[in-house]
Amino acid sequence: MKQPPGFVDHTLPDNVCKLDKSLYGLKQAPWAWFSRLSTKLQALGFHGSKADTSLFYFHHQGVTIYFLVYVDDIIVVSSSDQAMDKLLSQLRDDFALKDLGQLHYFLGMEVLSCPSGGLVLHQRKYATELIHKAGLKDCKPAPTPMVTSEKLTRQDGDPLDSATATRYRSIVGGLQYLTLTRPDIAFAVNKVCQYLHCPTTAHYTAVKRILRYVHGTIGCGLTFVPSSSLVLSAFSDADWAGCSDDRKSTGGFAIFLGNNLVSWTAKKQATVSRSSTEAEYKALANATAELIWVQSLLGELGVPQPKVPILWCDNIGATYLSANPVFHARTKHIEVDYHFVRQRVADKQLQVRIISTDDQVADGFIKPLTEGKFHAFQSNLNLSKSCD
């Protein structure tokens, strides 16, 4: 530990300062700030969420308040305007707050209210800045984020120089954040992320293709509409041995609350699968784990679950395996931790059902699609350009 620059006491160089409060920029500052804020909220009757540590909720006498924190940016949602005004007044006793009114911009995400009562989340401003950063503001738009005729590998193209490789990593990092409201590019971004350690010219071309697609769909965002259904449903899929470098499979899922997409992923599996059934079963397990988390979060928010969640899979073997060990001889090598899906099904806490590949919503999370199929994939994810 050393005395901070500009406050060095040369007469006592070995002494250090004892801080009465945390200073902005120190490693301890975020922890100290969150500790102080959470203590205040708990004193006001809030409970910290176990599913999401940045979320606090309040349920009392018919009043519900959700309090979401990210460092010093806060979203407050309340069923009562009076309760919200009272909360902000009480917080101003301890903190310097600035009320920005209705939610319209948060951490690079823009929120648009629809006349029908729904919301559209998009990142138009963030995406535009990312495209300008890459020097592609006048580029020709692409119809899809990836082409279906070729597969990226480590050996494709020539290695990038140090400066260009750094630029590649910066742009890919920006694209990762863009997937918060653009699930349609999740698979393509996951693919180019796999080559951050040694990017080549071919990988950089793939990144530019994604940016060209984003440029052509700059106003596209995730739509949330009022829904009478609160049933959780999920779609799980896997592309067996889809990676040409190590033959690992890519798994993906999409989880819907009613008609609204609430969670999704496109990720290469950690281990090599020996069959398509095993790859699909692992994807089922990952989707089930996410369903459990979503159920836990909804329970804390006070959102009832009238029915058992339904998980749709297009592989008959994986569907049967989730109900009973009929394929034990061929699947006994699968890690035990994946078999918790069976327990959920046996306890009637989950239904796993078969669906045709043509109707599989998660298909776009595991492989590049043709233009026609990709547009259907976009529509299924509730992606739109406006509130119309």
Side-chain angles (χ1 to χ4, degrees), residues 27-192:
K27 291 182 179 180
Q28 299 88 344
W31 175 86
W33 153 252
F34 185 79
S35 176
R36 185 183 173 200
L37 179 61
S38 60
T39 299
K40 177 66 174 180
L41 289 173
Q42 289 170 7
L44 295 176
F46 280 80
H47 299 278
S49 169
K50 294 181 176 62
D52 188 343
T53 55
S54 62
L55 175 66
F56 296 85
Y57 58 91
F58 176 90
H59 300 299
H60 185 65
Q61 295 182 349
V63 175
T64 298
I65 303 176
Y66 303 138
F67 195 97
L68 186 66
V69 184
Y70 184 86
V71 191
D72 55 356
D73 293 305
I74 299 170
I75 296 177
V76 182
V77 180
S78 175
S79 61
S80 168
D81 292 337
Q82 293 79 9
M84 181 184 291
D85 293 339
K86 181 180 178 181
L87 170 64
L88 296 179
S89 176
Q90 291 171 323
L91 289 176
R92 285 192 181 95
D93 294 338
D94 289 39
F95 306 98
L97 298 181
K98 185 178 181 181
D99 187 357
L100 299 178
Q102 282 291 113
L103 178 64
H104 63 278
Y105 193 82
F106 185 75
L107 302 178
M109 287 177 282
E110 299 173 62
V111 182
L112 297 178
S113 298
C114 299
S116 60
L119 294 174
V120 175
L121 299 184
H122 67 88
Q123 294 169 278
R124 179 195 295 267
K125 182 175 181 294
Y126 179 83
T128 302
E129 292 174 351
L130 189 61
I131 292 170
H132 285 193
K133 177 182 178 181
L136 297 175
K137 63 179 180 178
D138 297 320
C139 67
K140 181 180 178 181
T144 60
M146 287 193 77
V147 295
T148 58
S149 58
E150 61 181 2
K151 290 190 175 183
L152 287 179
T153 65
R154 294 195 189 104
Q155 290 75 29
D156 291 342
D158 300 319
L160 299 176
D161 60 76
S162 178
T164 309
T166 300
R167 184 188 183 93
Y168 174 93
R169 297 183 183 103
S170 176
I171 295 173
V172 170
L175 285 171
Q176 279 186 306
Y177 191 70
L178 188 60
T179 59
L180 290 176
T181 59
R182 295 296 301 271
D184 52 334
I185 64 172
F187 171 76
V189 173
N190 173 262
K191 192 65 179 178
V192 296

Side-chain angles (χ1 to χ4, degrees), residues 132-313:
H132 285 193
K133 177 182 178 181
L136 297 175
K137 63 179 180 178
D138 297 320
C139 67
K140 181 180 178 181
T144 60
M146 287 193 77
V147 295
T148 58
S149 58
E150 61 181 2
K151 290 190 175 183
L152 287 179
T153 65
R154 294 195 189 104
Q155 290 75 29
D156 291 342
D158 300 319
L160 299 176
D161 60 76
S162 178
T164 309
T166 300
R167 184 188 183 93
Y168 174 93
R169 297 183 183 103
S170 176
I171 295 173
V172 170
L175 285 171
Q176 279 186 306
Y177 191 70
L178 188 60
T179 59
L180 290 176
T181 59
R182 295 296 301 271
D184 52 334
I185 64 172
F187 171 76
V189 173
N190 173 262
K191 192 65 179 178
V192 296
C193 283
Q194 297 173 22
Y195 306 105
L196 291 175
H197 60 293
C198 54
T200 67
T201 52
H203 305 149
Y204 201 13
T205 300
V207 170
K208 291 179 180 178
R209 165 94 183 193
I210 300 173
L211 290 171
R212 287 171 51 212
Y213 166 72
V214 172
H215 178 67
T217 57
I218 197 71
C220 194
L222 198 57
T223 304
F224 296 89
V225 296
S227 175
S228 58
S229 172
L230 294 176
V231 176
L232 278 174
S233 58
F235 297 82
S236 169
D237 203 2
D239 184 27
W240 179 43
C243 182
S244 302
D245 295 317
D246 51 20
R247 287 304 173 188
K248 290 181 180 179
S249 307
T250 299
F253 61 75
I255 297 178
F256 292 82
L257 176 62
N259 299 324
N260 299 303
L261 180 67
V262 295
S263 182
W264 63 88
T265 195
K267 186 178 182 181
K268 188 162 73 171
Q269 294 177 353
T271 55
V272 177
S273 298
R274 297 176 62 185
S275 66
S276 59
T277 295
E278 181 180 346
E280 296 275 2
Y281 190 59
K282 290 178 179 178
L284 275 180
N286 293 333
T288 302
E290 187 73 3
L291 272 172
I292 294 173
W293 176 80
V294 173
Q295 283 182 292
S296 174
L297 180 61
L298 292 176
E300 292 177 332
L301 296 179
V303 179
Q305 287 297 290
K307 296 182 180 180
V308 174
I310 301 174
L311 180 51
W312 299 94
C313 174

